Amino acid sequence: MQHVPLASLRAFEAAIRHESFAKAAAELNLTAAGVSQHVRTLEEWLGIKLFTRHARGVTATMAGREFGAAVANGLGHIDIAARRLRFATNIRPVSVACIASVATRWLIPRLTAFKKEYPEIQINIVYALDARTPEEASVDLLIRHGPRPSTHAISLLTAETRPTCSREYEHRHGSIRTPADLLNLDLLHDETTAAWTRWFALEGIHQPPRAGPIFADFGLMIGSVIGGQGVGLCPSALISYELANGTLITLFDTPLDMDKFYWLLPASRLSSEAETFRDWLISISK
């Protein structure tokens, strides 16, 4: 079966809407004769008159009006679908993978500023899990913690940690003057007790630290620190807000993990939107 002459439908829809070949021609940048030929092609295919032609112009038939409504409805749906696809294509989301603590403590609080500057760019955040590259995580950008993972990695934030507690915890336990004073306090551990052991060694203290709660990651431990339940080795870059407003305090300046950073790894090929977000992340980290 021969398919409906689609090329003629647009001309017919304009002609039926204006009920004039001349006005349809002006809208579509065609000649009136060209519009008339498109309509005649449809009439021949359908086997029915869509317009009555007379000296002063044309008049739509009942069949023409009914078919015109159906064509207008169909073209309207096509237009809506096309606009949605075009909108989705023109605005490509940027996907970022990172560990939960970086997302909640540093990245997400700053996204409001990014949206004000670039309201058209959508940012999607996912867990990094054990991904070593953006390609492994199927994202545009990956933020990793640790020593430099590759020569292409860009340092965003220092990961140095320092003994930190809430202001309320310090008041409750009196003056904490020397590192040795920490041995008698509630020490909170991120994953293992090894970090505290290494920090005390930097201060020349080789006595094992007291056993205390062990948290799966910093994102969990920081809640306990803020809640006044003990002292944790916290990355200062991720608690800058609490340090600034006095909610948390750093007890000693000696840092641990000076060789570690939060690194930004871009995928090998980035959209212009992803490049914009990459550059913005770098700018706010300085």
Side-chain angles (χ1 to χ4, degrees):
M1 179 179 178
Q2 185 181 3
H3 294 294
V4 62
L6 298 177
S8 298
L9 290 179
R10 190 71 185 91
F12 165 70
E13 187 277 331
I16 204 75
R17 178 160 35 84
H18 292 292
E19 202 159 359
S20 166
F21 289 174
K23 290 182 179 179
E27 177 182 310
L28 301 175
N29 198 28
L30 297 173
T31 64
V35 171
S36 178
Q37 183 57 50
H38 278 302
V39 172
R40 192 174 301 280
T41 298
L42 270 177
E43 290 177 326
E44 292 175 354
W45 190 88
L46 292 167
I48 193 170
K49 288 292 184 181
L50 300 173
F51 288 93
T52 299
R53 294 159 176 80
H54 45 77
R56 289 176 296 180
V58 295
T59 302
T61 64
M62 182 64 70
R65 294 184 190 282
E66 291 178 357
F67 187 56
V71 171
N73 185 57
L75 291 177
H77 282 297
I78 292 172
D79 184 64
I80 291 172
R83 289 176 184 273
R84 286 176 178 171
L85 286 174
R86 183 180 180 187
F87 183 79
T89 301
N90 288 342
I91 302 179
R92 289 167 289 187
V94 179
S95 54
V96 185
C98 59
I99 58 178
S101 58
V102 173
T104 58
R105 306 287 317 165
W106 185 77
L107 179 56
I108 292 175
R110 288 163 174 79
L111 286 183
T112 300
F114 178 79
K115 293 300 292 184
K116 286 183 179 179
E117 190 170 354
Y118 303 98
E120 73 282 3
I121 300 180
Q122 176 182 324
I123 306 298
N124 296 334
I125 303 174
V126 300
Y127 288 117
L129 300 178
D130 295 324
R132 295 169 295 177
T133 66
E135 288 75 16
E136 285 185 12
S138 298
V139 295
D140 298 303
L141 303 167
L142 171 66
I143 299 177
R144 288 187 57 186
H145 169 265
R148 188 167 200 147
S150 73
T151 56
H152 302 293
I154 304 165
S155 62
L156 283 182
L157 303 166
T158 175
E160 293 178 357
T161 61
R162 294 174 175 83
T164 306
C165 70
S166 69
R167 179 74 66 181
E168 182 273 335
Y169 184 87
E170 183 201 32
H171 287 166
R172 184 158 27 102
H173 288 80
S175 178
I176 304 172
R177 296 181 178 179
T178 70
D181 293 335
L182 295 176
L183 292 171
N184 298 316
L185 299 180
D186 305 289
L187 300 183
L188 307 176
H189 304 279
D190 182 351
E191 295 186 350
T192 71
T193 61
W196 271 115
T197 299
R198 289 188 289 117
W199 187 85
F200 280 118
L202 291 176
E203 296 288 357
I205 300 171
H206 300 285
Q207 179 180 339
R210 291 177 59 182
I214 297 178
F215 298 86
D217 59 30
F218 171 72
L220 296 175
M221 187 185 75
I222 187 59
S224 187
V225 174
I226 294 174
Q229 298 175 19
V231 183
L233 284 168
C234 299
S236 301
L238 298 188
I239 56 172
S240 58
Y241 177 77
E242 288 82 3
L243 291 175
N245 66 21
T247 303
L248 298 180
I249 60 170
T250 298
L251 296 173
F252 300 99
D253 288 333
T254 302
L256 191 67
D257 293 331
M258 289 183 291
D259 61 327
K260 295 179 181 179
F261 285 82
Y262 294 99
W263 302 94
L264 178 65
L265 287 85
S268 57
R269 300 181 64 179
L270 294 178
S271 65
S272 60
E273 292 84 356
E275 289 179 345
T276 296
F277 191 56
R278 174 202 60 194
D279 295 343
W280 184 83
L281 286 175
I282 294 171
S283 71
I284 67 169
S285 67
K286 295 178 179 178

